Amino acid sequence: MDEKDVSESPQPSEEITLGDVGRLLGRKLKEMTTVFYLLIILAAASFLATLIPQHQPAEHYLQRYGPLPGYLIMATGLNHVSTAGWFLGLLAVLMLSLLLCANHLYRLGASRWSLPAASFISRFTDGSGSLSHELRQEPQTAVQTVLAASRRAGFRGWDRGLAEDRSCLYLVRHRWTAWGATLAHYAVFAIGLGALLGSLPGISVNDYLEVNEHQTSTGAAKQLPFDVRLNSFTLKHFSGTQHVENYYSDVSLLVAGEEVRRQVISVNQPLKYRGYYLVQSSWGLGAAQLAIKRPGGKPAQKLEFPLDKEACPVGHDPGTTCWGVPSEESIIFLPDQQAALVAVAFYPEARRQGTEVIEQPAGLSGTAALKLVLVSRLPASRGRREAAAPPARQIDAGVQVSFTQMTAPGASPGGSSPTPPTPEAGGMPHAMQELGWVLAGETVSTAVGDISFTRVTRSTGLGIRKDPGVPLVWTGFIACLLGLVMIFYLPLQQGYVTVTPRQNDPAGCQVSLRLRGGPLTETQADTHRLLENIIAAEGAVTPPTGRKDQ
Amino acid sequence: MPHSGKTLSRRLAATLPSFEAMDQAIYRTIAFGFPLLTMVIITGAVWAQYVWQRWWGWDPKETASLVTWLIYAGYLHGRRNRGWQGITTARFAVLGFLAVLFTLAGVNFLDSLHSYGQPVRVASSSLLAGFAGLSRPETYLTIAFFVGHLLAFLLVLSGVISDRLVSTRAGIVVASLALLANTAVLILRCVEAGRLTFTSGYDFSLWFVWGITVVGLWVALRRTPLALVASLPVALLICMYGYLYFPHKGHVPLPPALQNKLWLHVHVALAIFAYGALALGAGWGALYLLKSALAGRGAAAEGAVRAAGK
């Protein structure tokens, strides 16, 4: 990207052709200034993306930043920078410019790889920063002395012939690292290309699947060639603490109903199937399962209250999880018994203390608890939608169950959200039995039979990924590291030496030496060291005559 | 002494290495740290791929480290192609390190996969409260290493200003002892936790300071003791951040994602040295800017004196 290497555009003709525009664009793209502005814009955008929460719902931005700034953030795509069109566009431009720079650096590497001509070496050793010394050797012997001494100092040397009457030698250390910058730039290009490949919809997949225990999630909706069944889910805590050690999902992959793979997935142990990776990424609760053992030897009836982590009372902090039964699904009608079972509250983990049930923090081996109310003898209620006049009664401090909820869900059974009192209508005969807290594994006797809270099923959240860009990215990573190590830790060092015969002394000559090399090498000190090596090889004891031009 | 302040600043300006030498010193730290920083980002990406099958997720820490990388990459290109040297180098070293600090500490206040153990938003007001819950040996060693850093800084600074070799040497010895105390604290904590402690913000600040002091001492012994004047203030700043903002210094079990020991260790070990080198560069940068400010003021004062003389 050195300015001096930017190729000149052809002389302007009367007409500006498309080729001219292309050349101009190509030149602009290669310029450092363009790359800098691009990098600054991209860095600033990335920085903003760390400050502004990404991929949140619109209300979040409007609430947090106010209507106008919130709207501006969304209009400019600052709420999803990494997928915003302008960001990807600028990235693409940067990639193109990177490719052009890499090509240029390739030519630069080639020029450094090739051996310089004798005339160049001769000119170069006359410049500032070179050291000279008189050797009492014939020029031909001196050339051999220099080559031998530089070999010992780790340089490879070539006799490049004569320029005027001087023998010109070229020395080089870490010659192969002439390609370091080229490699690093192609590497970053490869990483960018891999990233692009991995973000293209259609060939890459970055999805999320939630599966409840003993249930199957169909993959068709997400264009996956398989369904996922969760056989069981285990959560393991560090003993005696709330800290999760790991979580394990025993899953089966089904293709056309046939199990093609069964494996336990945990964090750090994904399932791999035909380029897809299933990664353990979250977990939750599925449903509270109950069973009613009805009198008269009828088969037990199984019931399920689904659980949701957003069953928070009104005014709760958004973003916190409150596991509970969603209000609209908190009533289960038992038509043949003319009764309804209502879930009033739920604790994921709790324990009994005397007559009380106390919620426990997660991980301290508590048991799930469900607070139930049984409402029975409903007149004329044969189905969900046939509710009679709405009976309403205070059941528990501040919690009210109204049968209008069936058709107009609104109140949360899980907590403290108040329902406006509904007038008792018509004095319909009904009985309300507060069953209180039932812990998982416990059974309560009621008029409709023994109701047992069997268990709480869990759900697993699986990340599903397919990224065909990864091999390219990996290659880029390795090449990038190699390139940077070459540039900074093993810098190319080139030495230019001339051996000039002394005019009136055929047995003596003058050796001039100049090194140039990587930024981290102390070139001047190295030049000194090499010269001392040469002097030592010659067997002379006289110190260097001094530096030129200094 | 009426002119002691001016004399001190002039002495300090005279003591500091030449602008060229400092420019070279900053460049060396960045040229050493940049490939390491790249390795930190790459190992992080490879690790993320193993855990989540997603090598890049625009997590705040990832993004912040990318921004840091871009700043240093921009500087290296500018130096090579535009001859950015001198004060530009110093400014970039400071700017880049501010980005490092943001990566390290700033993102803890954002929602990030890397937000270590909930730092407090406001530093603890009681200075000694931070030692609550630590064993007695660890407390004493921690105090020794904090005080050692401060003492070493003062000794080296006074040594180079007054040109007293004894004081400078004493400073280097104290800094080495402080490093030993730091190492002992780290070992104690690792033994207590039963593993390498790489997960809490406090622990990482200890490792980070360890890296800075190692790099600072290395350069101080090989080149100039002034490297300690450059690096120790940064180390002290980070000590204080870790100490004050993470009041809970107990050990928390590793969350599942961090249980991949190989990548965790490689990633963090590289980060310690990369940030150590870049911190030294920032210290040099600050000294460069200081010298340039002092020189500027000196030149202005001289001009004024000359004008008054006429």
mmCIF file of all heavy atoms in Angstrom, chain A residues 480-515:
data_model
loop_
_atom_site.group_PDB
_atom_site.id
_atom_site.type_symbol
_atom_site.label_atom_id
_atom_site.label_comp_id
_atom_site.label_asym_id
_atom_site.label_seq_id
_atom_site.Cartn_x
_atom_site.Cartn_y
_atom_site.Cartn_z
ATOM 1 N N CYS A 480 -2.857 -15.793 9.301
ATOM 2 C CA CYS A 480 -2.711 -14.460 9.882
ATOM 3 C C CYS A 480 -1.644 -14.482 10.979
ATOM 4 O O CYS A 480 -0.768 -13.611 11.032
ATOM 5 C CB CYS A 480 -4.056 -14.014 10.447
ATOM 6 S SG CYS A 480 -4.013 -12.392 11.167
ATOM 7 N N LEU A 481 -1.728 -15.503 11.835
ATOM 8 C CA LEU A 481 -0.738 -15.606 12.916
ATOM 9 C C LEU A 481 0.661 -15.786 12.350
ATOM 10 O O LEU A 481 1.616 -15.139 12.773
ATOM 11 C CB LEU A 481 -1.071 -16.795 13.819
ATOM 12 C CG LEU A 481 -2.159 -16.514 14.841
ATOM 13 C CD1 LEU A 481 -2.359 -17.717 15.728
ATOM 14 C CD2 LEU A 481 -1.786 -15.294 15.665
ATOM 15 N N LEU A 482 0.739 -16.664 11.364
ATOM 16 C CA LEU A 482 2.031 -16.927 10.732
ATOM 17 C C LEU A 482 2.585 -15.640 10.132
ATOM 18 O O LEU A 482 3.762 -15.296 10.315
ATOM 19 C CB LEU A 482 1.822 -17.978 9.638
ATOM 20 C CG LEU A 482 2.973 -18.917 9.349
ATOM 21 C CD1 LEU A 482 3.292 -19.731 10.589
ATOM 22 C CD2 LEU A 482 2.626 -19.833 8.191
ATOM 23 N N GLY A 483 1.721 -14.910 9.436
ATOM 24 C CA GLY A 483 2.127 -13.662 8.795
ATOM 25 C C GLY A 483 2.616 -12.645 9.817
ATOM 26 O O GLY A 483 3.663 -12.020 9.638
ATOM 27 N N LEU A 484 1.870 -12.506 10.920
ATOM 28 C CA LEU A 484 2.248 -11.513 11.927
ATOM 29 C C LEU A 484 3.553 -11.901 12.616
ATOM 30 O O LEU A 484 4.391 -11.044 12.903
ATOM 31 C CB LEU A 484 1.133 -11.352 12.958
ATOM 32 C CG LEU A 484 -0.126 -10.664 12.453
ATOM 33 C CD1 LEU A 484 -1.175 -10.563 13.543
ATOM 34 C CD2 LEU A 484 0.200 -9.271 11.943
ATOM 35 N N VAL A 485 3.721 -13.199 12.870
ATOM 36 C CA VAL A 485 4.973 -13.643 13.480
ATOM 37 C C VAL A 485 6.129 -13.326 12.543
ATOM 38 O O VAL A 485 7.197 -12.868 12.953
ATOM 39 C CB VAL A 485 4.907 -15.154 13.808
ATOM 40 C CG1 VAL A 485 6.282 -15.707 14.127
ATOM 41 C CG2 VAL A 485 3.964 -15.392 14.972
ATOM 42 N N MET A 486 5.897 -13.549 11.234
ATOM 43 C CA MET A 486 6.939 -13.259 10.248
ATOM 44 C C MET A 486 7.269 -11.768 10.231
ATOM 45 O O MET A 486 8.431 -11.375 10.204
ATOM 46 C CB MET A 486 6.481 -13.716 8.848
ATOM 47 C CG MET A 486 6.602 -15.217 8.627
ATOM 48 S SD MET A 486 5.444 -15.806 7.381
ATOM 49 C CE MET A 486 6.334 -15.475 5.894
ATOM 50 N N ILE A 487 6.224 -10.935 10.258
ATOM 51 C CA ILE A 487 6.466 -9.490 10.154
ATOM 52 C C ILE A 487 7.176 -8.973 11.403
ATOM 53 O O ILE A 487 8.144 -8.222 11.322
ATOM 54 C CB ILE A 487 5.137 -8.725 9.981
ATOM 55 C CG1 ILE A 487 4.445 -9.124 8.692
ATOM 56 C CG2 ILE A 487 5.385 -7.214 9.988
ATOM 57 C CD1 ILE A 487 3.020 -8.610 8.579
ATOM 58 N N PHE A 488 6.681 -9.378 12.577
ATOM 59 C CA PHE A 488 7.151 -8.714 13.787
ATOM 60 C C PHE A 488 8.210 -9.482 14.564
ATOM 61 O O PHE A 488 9.020 -8.885 15.248
ATOM 62 C CB PHE A 488 5.962 -8.409 14.710
ATOM 63 C CG PHE A 488 5.038 -7.377 14.131
ATOM 64 C CD1 PHE A 488 3.790 -7.731 13.652
ATOM 65 C CD2 PHE A 488 5.434 -6.059 14.033
ATOM 66 C CE1 PHE A 488 2.952 -6.786 13.107
ATOM 67 C CE2 PHE A 488 4.600 -5.104 13.483
ATOM 68 C CZ PHE A 488 3.355 -5.468 13.023
ATOM 69 N N TYR A 489 8.177 -10.794 14.517
ATOM 70 C CA TYR A 489 9.125 -11.544 15.340
ATOM 71 C C TYR A 489 10.298 -12.098 14.540
ATOM 72 O O TYR A 489 11.353 -12.373 15.091
ATOM 73 C CB TYR A 489 8.419 -12.687 16.081
ATOM 74 C CG TYR A 489 7.350 -12.244 17.057
ATOM 75 C CD1 TYR A 489 6.386 -13.134 17.516
ATOM 76 C CD2 TYR A 489 7.307 -10.932 17.527
ATOM 77 C CE1 TYR A 489 5.403 -12.729 18.410
ATOM 78 C CE2 TYR A 489 6.325 -10.525 18.407
ATOM 79 C CZ TYR A 489 5.378 -11.424 18.835
ATOM 80 O OH TYR A 489 4.403 -11.025 19.710
ATOM 81 N N LEU A 490 10.095 -12.340 13.252
ATOM 82 C CA LEU A 490 11.189 -12.852 12.421
ATOM 83 C C LEU A 490 11.351 -11.953 11.219
ATOM 84 O O LEU A 490 11.180 -12.379 10.075
ATOM 85 C CB LEU A 490 10.867 -14.280 11.936
ATOM 86 C CG LEU A 490 10.762 -15.363 12.986
ATOM 87 C CD1 LEU A 490 10.205 -16.639 12.365
ATOM 88 C CD2 LEU A 490 12.116 -15.645 13.587
ATOM 89 N N PRO A 491 11.638 -10.673 11.454
ATOM 90 C CA PRO A 491 11.612 -9.758 10.321
ATOM 91 C C PRO A 491 12.711 -10.052 9.312
ATOM 92 O O PRO A 491 13.816 -10.473 9.669
ATOM 93 C CB PRO A 491 11.817 -8.389 10.966
ATOM 94 C CG PRO A 491 12.463 -8.672 12.266
ATOM 95 C CD PRO A 491 12.034 -10.024 12.695
ATOM 96 N N LEU A 492 12.362 -9.820 8.079
ATOM 97 C CA LEU A 492 13.322 -9.974 6.984
ATOM 98 C C LEU A 492 14.445 -8.957 7.166
ATOM 99 O O LEU A 492 14.192 -7.790 7.403
ATOM 100 C CB LEU A 492 12.582 -9.686 5.678
ATOM 101 C CG LEU A 492 13.403 -9.612 4.411
ATOM 102 C CD1 LEU A 492 13.682 -11.020 3.906
ATOM 103 C CD2 LEU A 492 12.650 -8.817 3.354
ATOM 104 N N GLN A 493 15.678 -9.428 7.105
ATOM 105 C CA GLN A 493 16.802 -8.503 7.195
ATOM 106 C C GLN A 493 17.696 -8.709 5.983
ATOM 107 O O GLN A 493 18.085 -9.835 5.677
ATOM 108 C CB GLN A 493 17.580 -8.751 8.485
ATOM 109 C CG GLN A 493 18.352 -7.529 8.926
ATOM 110 C CD GLN A 493 18.947 -7.683 10.292
ATOM 111 O OE1 GLN A 493 19.164 -8.790 10.752
ATOM 112 N NE2 GLN A 493 19.244 -6.569 10.937
ATOM 113 N N GLN A 494 17.963 -7.619 5.311
ATOM 114 C CA GLN A 494 18.760 -7.713 4.090
ATOM 115 C C GLN A 494 20.076 -6.971 4.289
ATOM 116 O O GLN A 494 20.105 -5.913 4.911
ATOM 117 C CB GLN A 494 17.994 -7.082 2.919
ATOM 118 C CG GLN A 494 16.752 -7.862 2.539
ATOM 119 C CD GLN A 494 15.792 -7.001 1.754
ATOM 120 O OE1 GLN A 494 15.226 -6.053 2.271
ATOM 121 N NE2 GLN A 494 15.606 -7.341 0.486
ATOM 122 N N GLY A 495 21.139 -7.566 3.774
ATOM 123 C CA GLY A 495 22.448 -6.930 3.887
ATOM 124 C C GLY A 495 23.037 -6.683 2.501
ATOM 125 O O GLY A 495 22.884 -7.508 1.584
ATOM 126 N N TYR A 496 23.687 -5.531 2.339
ATOM 127 C CA TYR A 496 24.287 -5.175 1.058
ATOM 128 C C TYR A 496 25.770 -4.909 1.311
ATOM 129 O O TYR A 496 26.109 -4.084 2.149
ATOM 130 C CB TYR A 496 23.600 -3.937 0.485
ATOM 131 C CG TYR A 496 22.105 -4.124 0.328
ATOM 132 C CD1 TYR A 496 21.252 -3.843 1.385
ATOM 133 C CD2 TYR A 496 21.574 -4.608 -0.852
ATOM 134 C CE1 TYR A 496 19.892 -4.039 1.268
ATOM 135 C CE2 TYR A 496 20.211 -4.812 -0.993
ATOM 136 C CZ TYR A 496 19.367 -4.524 0.075
ATOM 137 O OH TYR A 496 18.025 -4.721 -0.053
ATOM 138 N N VAL A 497 26.618 -5.612 0.607
ATOM 139 C CA VAL A 497 28.059 -5.493 0.853
ATOM 140 C C VAL A 497 28.766 -5.241 -0.480
ATOM 141 O O VAL A 497 28.445 -5.874 -1.488
ATOM 142 C CB VAL A 497 28.620 -6.790 1.466
ATOM 143 C CG1 VAL A 497 30.079 -6.610 1.861
ATOM 144 C CG2 VAL A 497 27.797 -7.240 2.664
ATOM 145 N N THR A 498 29.695 -4.307 -0.447
ATOM 146 C CA THR A 498 30.571 -4.163 -1.623
ATOM 147 C C THR A 498 32.016 -4.356 -1.180
ATOM 148 O O THR A 498 32.383 -3.966 -0.072
ATOM 149 C CB THR A 498 30.442 -2.777 -2.278
ATOM 150 O OG1 THR A 498 30.558 -1.793 -1.251
ATOM 151 C CG2 THR A 498 29.148 -2.618 -3.011
ATOM 152 N N VAL A 499 32.794 -4.997 -2.015
ATOM 153 C CA VAL A 499 34.225 -5.169 -1.754
ATOM 154 C C VAL A 499 34.955 -4.411 -2.868
ATOM 155 O O VAL A 499 34.865 -4.780 -4.040
ATOM 156 C CB VAL A 499 34.611 -6.658 -1.767
ATOM 157 C CG1 VAL A 499 36.106 -6.810 -1.553
ATOM 158 C CG2 VAL A 499 33.839 -7.412 -0.691
ATOM 159 N N THR A 500 35.617 -3.310 -2.484
ATOM 160 C CA THR A 500 36.282 -2.449 -3.473
ATOM 161 C C THR A 500 37.789 -2.650 -3.391
ATOM 162 O O THR A 500 38.358 -2.491 -2.302
ATOM 163 C CB THR A 500 35.962 -0.965 -3.188
ATOM 164 O OG1 THR A 500 34.576 -0.864 -2.857
ATOM 165 C CG2 THR A 500 36.276 -0.084 -4.379
ATOM 166 N N PRO A 501 38.429 -3.042 -4.503
ATOM 167 C CA PRO A 501 39.883 -3.194 -4.450
ATOM 168 C C PRO A 501 40.555 -1.840 -4.232
ATOM 169 O O PRO A 501 40.033 -0.811 -4.670
ATOM 170 C CB PRO A 501 40.244 -3.756 -5.825
ATOM 171 C CG PRO A 501 39.014 -3.728 -6.629
ATOM 172 C CD PRO A 501 37.865 -3.298 -5.816
ATOM 173 N N ARG A 502 41.686 -1.837 -3.500
ATOM 174 C CA ARG A 502 42.421 -0.584 -3.299
ATOM 175 C C ARG A 502 43.300 -0.354 -4.520
ATOM 176 O O ARG A 502 43.961 -1.272 -5.019
ATOM 177 C CB ARG A 502 43.230 -0.658 -2.018
ATOM 178 C CG ARG A 502 42.303 -0.619 -0.821
ATOM 179 C CD ARG A 502 43.058 -0.771 0.446
ATOM 180 N NE ARG A 502 43.976 0.350 0.648
ATOM 181 C CZ ARG A 502 44.708 0.480 1.725
ATOM 182 N NH1 ARG A 502 44.628 -0.418 2.683
ATOM 183 N NH2 ARG A 502 45.524 1.497 1.867
ATOM 184 N N GLN A 503 43.318 0.901 -4.924
ATOM 185 C CA GLN A 503 43.930 1.178 -6.223
ATOM 186 C C GLN A 503 45.426 0.874 -6.247
ATOM 187 O O GLN A 503 45.934 0.279 -7.178
ATOM 188 C CB GLN A 503 43.675 2.623 -6.613
ATOM 189 C CG GLN A 503 42.252 2.761 -7.128
ATOM 190 C CD GLN A 503 41.930 4.128 -7.629
ATOM 191 O OE1 GLN A 503 42.629 5.095 -7.329
ATOM 192 N NE2 GLN A 503 40.858 4.199 -8.387
ATOM 193 N N ASN A 504 46.159 1.278 -5.179
ATOM 194 C CA ASN A 504 47.610 1.056 -5.220
ATOM 195 C C ASN A 504 48.054 -0.073 -4.300
ATOM 196 O O ASN A 504 49.188 -0.140 -3.904
ATOM 197 C CB ASN A 504 48.359 2.351 -4.902
ATOM 198 C CG ASN A 504 47.627 3.123 -3.797
ATOM 199 O OD1 ASN A 504 46.799 2.510 -3.092
ATOM 200 N ND2 ASN A 504 47.916 4.391 -3.662
ATOM 201 N N ASP A 505 47.090 -0.918 -3.901
ATOM 202 C CA ASP A 505 47.454 -2.005 -3.005
ATOM 203 C C ASP A 505 46.639 -3.243 -3.364
ATOM 204 O O ASP A 505 45.510 -3.432 -2.895
ATOM 205 C CB ASP A 505 47.169 -1.585 -1.553
ATOM 206 C CG ASP A 505 47.499 -2.685 -0.580
ATOM 207 O OD1 ASP A 505 48.148 -3.681 -0.989
ATOM 208 O OD2 ASP A 505 47.112 -2.568 0.593
ATOM 209 N N PRO A 506 47.169 -4.085 -4.248
ATOM 210 C CA PRO A 506 46.396 -5.241 -4.715
ATOM 211 C C PRO A 506 46.115 -6.257 -3.600
ATOM 212 O O PRO A 506 45.223 -7.086 -3.727
ATOM 213 C CB PRO A 506 47.283 -5.842 -5.806
ATOM 214 C CG PRO A 506 48.650 -5.299 -5.564
ATOM 215 C CD PRO A 506 48.505 -3.989 -4.859
ATOM 216 N N ALA A 507 46.806 -6.165 -2.484
ATOM 217 C CA ALA A 507 46.597 -7.128 -1.405
ATOM 218 C C ALA A 507 45.593 -6.613 -0.379
ATOM 219 O O ALA A 507 45.397 -7.221 0.650
ATOM 220 C CB ALA A 507 47.921 -7.439 -0.717
ATOM 221 N N GLY A 508 44.967 -5.466 -0.652
ATOM 222 C CA GLY A 508 44.008 -4.910 0.309
ATOM 223 C C GLY A 508 42.724 -4.515 -0.389
ATOM 224 O O GLY A 508 42.681 -4.392 -1.614
ATOM 225 N N CYS A 509 41.669 -4.336 0.384
ATOM 226 C CA CYS A 509 40.400 -3.902 -0.185
ATOM 227 C C CYS A 509 39.550 -3.245 0.897
ATOM 228 O O CYS A 509 39.847 -3.352 2.083
ATOM 229 C CB CYS A 509 39.645 -5.077 -0.793
ATOM 230 S SG CYS A 509 39.221 -6.315 0.423
ATOM 231 N N GLN A 510 38.506 -2.561 0.426
ATOM 232 C CA GLN A 510 37.618 -1.941 1.396
ATOM 233 C C GLN A 510 36.257 -2.628 1.339
ATOM 234 O O GLN A 510 35.672 -2.801 0.267
ATOM 235 C CB GLN A 510 37.459 -0.455 1.080
ATOM 236 C CG GLN A 510 36.500 0.218 2.055
ATOM 237 C CD GLN A 510 36.442 1.702 1.854
ATOM 238 O OE1 GLN A 510 37.481 2.365 1.811
ATOM 239 N NE2 GLN A 510 35.248 2.224 1.715
ATOM 240 N N VAL A 511 35.789 -3.010 2.523
ATOM 241 C CA VAL A 511 34.470 -3.646 2.591
ATOM 242 C C VAL A 511 33.476 -2.620 3.111
ATOM 243 O O VAL A 511 33.711 -2.000 4.156
ATOM 244 C CB VAL A 511 34.508 -4.862 3.529
ATOM 245 C CG1 VAL A 511 33.109 -5.413 3.743
ATOM 246 C CG2 VAL A 511 35.404 -5.934 2.962
ATOM 247 N N SER A 512 32.382 -2.395 2.375
ATOM 248 C CA SER A 512 31.310 -1.509 2.853
ATOM 249 C C SER A 512 30.071 -2.353 3.084
ATOM 250 O O SER A 512 29.746 -3.222 2.261
ATOM 251 C CB SER A 512 31.005 -0.431 1.822
ATOM 252 O OG SER A 512 32.103 0.435 1.738
ATOM 253 N N LEU A 513 29.392 -2.045 4.157
ATOM 254 C CA LEU A 513 28.303 -2.920 4.594
ATOM 255 C C LEU A 513 27.134 -2.079 5.053
ATOM 256 O O LEU A 513 27.310 -1.082 5.751
ATOM 257 C CB LEU A 513 28.850 -3.766 5.745
ATOM 258 C CG LEU A 513 27.925 -4.604 6.574
ATOM 259 C CD1 LEU A 513 27.357 -5.722 5.736
ATOM 260 C CD2 LEU A 513 28.703 -5.174 7.747
ATOM 261 N N ARG A 514 25.933 -2.480 4.635
ATOM 262 C CA ARG A 514 24.748 -1.793 5.150
ATOM 263 C C ARG A 514 23.619 -2.803 5.269
ATOM 264 O O ARG A 514 23.336 -3.555 4.338
ATOM 265 C CB ARG A 514 24.346 -0.674 4.205
ATOM 266 C CG ARG A 514 23.195 0.148 4.742
ATOM 267 C CD ARG A 514 22.895 1.281 3.810
ATOM 268 N NE ARG A 514 21.638 1.908 4.152
ATOM 269 C CZ ARG A 514 20.983 2.716 3.354
ATOM 270 N NH1 ARG A 514 21.467 2.989 2.164
ATOM 271 N NH2 ARG A 514 19.853 3.263 3.720
ATOM 272 N N LEU A 515 22.993 -2.805 6.425
ATOM 273 C CA LEU A 515 21.855 -3.711 6.636
ATOM 274 C C LEU A 515 20.591 -2.883 6.662
ATOM 275 O O LEU A 515 20.583 -1.760 7.128
ATOM 276 C CB LEU A 515 21.969 -4.431 7.982
ATOM 277 C CG LEU A 515 23.061 -5.472 8.172
ATOM 278 C CD1 LEU A 515 22.906 -6.116 9.536
ATOM 279 C CD2 LEU A 515 22.965 -6.540 7.103
#
